[in-house]
Amino acid sequence: MAGKTVSDRNDRNSQEDDVATNQQSSFVAVIILVLGLLPIITAAVVLINNFISHNNKLAISNSAIILSSPSAIRIACAIIVSLVISIRGFRKKSLDLSGSITAILVGFCMTLSNTAFFVVLLTFFLTSSRLTKFKSDIKRRIEHDFKEGGQRNWVQVLCNGGIPCVAAIIYIATIGSGTLPLNFIRIKYYNPSLLAVSVVASLGCCAGDTWASEIGSAIGSRTPRLITTLQPVPVGTNGGVSMIGTISSAAGGLVIGLSYYISILWCCDRTDNMWDKQPPQWPIILYGAFAGFLGSMIDSYLGASVQYSGYCKESKKIIHHRTENSLHISGYAILNNHAVNFVSALITTIIISYGAVNYWPA
């Protein structure tokens, strides 16, 4: 009896030491995160200033609206397509009622602005919905908040589609309706290209995170490691990374970039007969793949630092909120999963867009 008491006391002391170590590593990760945000904010200011500057130059030359306004037929198609996809998502339990209503708005704006925007959004929705249902029996055993089919609500839809939706609205207001080639050299194409890359980067990030988490948790054969300390953590821990998950994240982003590239080849406006003089369009595939990888890494880092992960002794599952029976694994309870997804998508969009503006092949 005495031996068991000593053993229990040692286990409690060991758990307390682990909690203290995890809290220290989370604190260091938050400090690094804050310092890392400074150059990202600077890059965002530069991009916004460049966008406004190019828009003013086009306004002076009386060519601010490059493409025509949406036609009645395009508006009708946008309404029908967004309704069909949202209703399908609701029936397949990929969306709940609030999520399907919000998806109608996002889908309408994306379809109305640029056909390529709609294609990448559709690619993200179909692949993510399919992967969410992939080996759901395994995910049901390890996920505390598991939902059959995913059933994304309006918050999740906006966190994934909010940035592309805003980019689509700006595209319609300042450029028009249609698909243009990616070209950061000519003033005429700079803003459309910047908005297009931001859409690919944002959805590439979301796709990468979704592919990594859904595939990694279902078929990952090795214990994931916390991105901030590289210590082994249970499957489902925020900030846990694995080889299969990392590869899947790049693959998810690559699919988004590839879908945009194919859309450009099929749907691009070529009325000015300048297609042969445009820079190469294929780099968007690589930027999409990098967005998937980078977005997944940023999401994992945020999850390990500013999102709580704990182990529930009762349910034997990973939980993302503190309880009396939970054992702290990593992170502070600052952001929830939705906020982490949005912030990681925003940071990835800024980094990828800044890189494309400065390093796109001529």
Side-chain angles (χ1 to χ4, degrees), residues 3-289:
K4 183 177 181 180
T5 303
V6 172
S7 177
D8 292 342
R9 186 182 301 113
N10 290 336
D11 289 341
R12 286 195 297 270
N13 291 337
S14 177
Q15 290 177 353
E16 291 175 357
D17 291 341
D18 289 341
V19 170
T21 301
N22 292 339
Q23 289 177 341
Q24 291 175 1
S25 63
S26 297
F27 178 76
V28 173
V30 170
I31 296 301
I32 296 175
L33 174 64
V34 172
L35 295 176
L37 286 176
L38 297 179
I40 295 174
I41 294 174
T42 302
V45 172
V46 171
L47 290 174
I48 294 173
N49 182 68
N50 288 348
F51 185 91
I52 296 174
S53 175
H54 282 80
N55 196 59
N56 290 337
K57 291 178 181 178
L58 289 173
I60 293 174
S61 61
N62 295 322
S63 58
I65 302 297
I66 300 175
L67 299 170
S68 60
S69 300
S71 64
I73 296 179
R74 190 179 185 99
I75 294 174
C77 290
I79 294 174
I80 294 173
V81 168
S82 57
L83 280 172
V84 170
I85 295 175
S86 298
I87 293 174
R88 180 185 182 278
F90 179 72
R91 289 180 175 177
K92 294 289 186 178
K93 295 185 177 180
S94 298
L95 303 167
D96 67 8
L97 181 59
S98 66
S100 62
I101 294 174
T102 307
I104 293 174
L105 174 62
V106 174
F108 173 77
C109 294
M110 299 283 284
T111 307
L112 191 65
S113 60
N114 187 325
T115 304
F117 289 4
F118 161 72
V119 172
V120 293
L121 178 66
L122 182 63
T123 301
F124 167 72
F125 175 73
L126 293 179
T127 57
S128 299
S129 298
R130 179 68 64 177
L131 286 175
T132 299
K133 300 175 182 178
F134 177 63
K135 293 194 174 183
S136 58
D137 55 328
I138 297 177
K139 299 170 186 175
R140 185 182 289 106
R141 294 198 300 266
I142 63 177
E143 295 179 6
H144 184 266
D145 54 351
F146 175 83
K147 292 181 180 180
E148 190 68 39
Q151 299 182 38
R152 293 175 174 82
N153 58 27
W154 69 272
V155 178
Q156 292 170 295
V157 172
L158 284 183
C159 288
N160 289 326
I163 295 175
C165 183
V166 171
I169 293 173
I170 297 174
Y171 193 98
I172 296 172
T174 61
I175 298 161
S177 179
T179 306
L180 292 170
L182 298 167
N183 187 337
F184 291 101
I185 300 175
R186 293 184 61 188
I187 295 178
K188 175 180 179 180
Y189 295 110
Y190 182 93
N191 283 356
S193 300
L194 180 58
L195 292 172
V197 170
S198 69
V199 169
V200 172
S202 179
L203 289 177
C205 167
C206 296
D209 176 55
T210 301
W211 283 46
S213 59
E214 300 296 345
I215 296 177
S217 62
I219 65 175
S221 59
R222 295 185 178 182
T223 301
R225 293 181 177 272
L226 195 66
I227 192 172
T228 53
T229 64
L230 299 182
Q231 296 298 315
V233 291
V235 176
T237 301
N238 295 314
V241 296
S242 64
M243 181 61 69
I244 185 65
T246 302
I247 295 174
S248 298
S249 66
L254 185 144
V255 169
I256 296 298
L258 180 61
S259 65
Y260 194 91
Y261 174 71
I262 294 174
S263 300
I264 291 179
L265 298 183
W266 285 355
C267 309
C268 189
D269 183 277
R270 308 189 187 193
T271 55
D272 61 359
N273 297 318
M274 292 291 291
W275 177 257
D276 294 337
K277 298 181 180 180
Q278 299 294 342
Q281 304 295 295
W282 58 262
I284 193 62
I285 304 176
L286 301 182
Y287 278 105

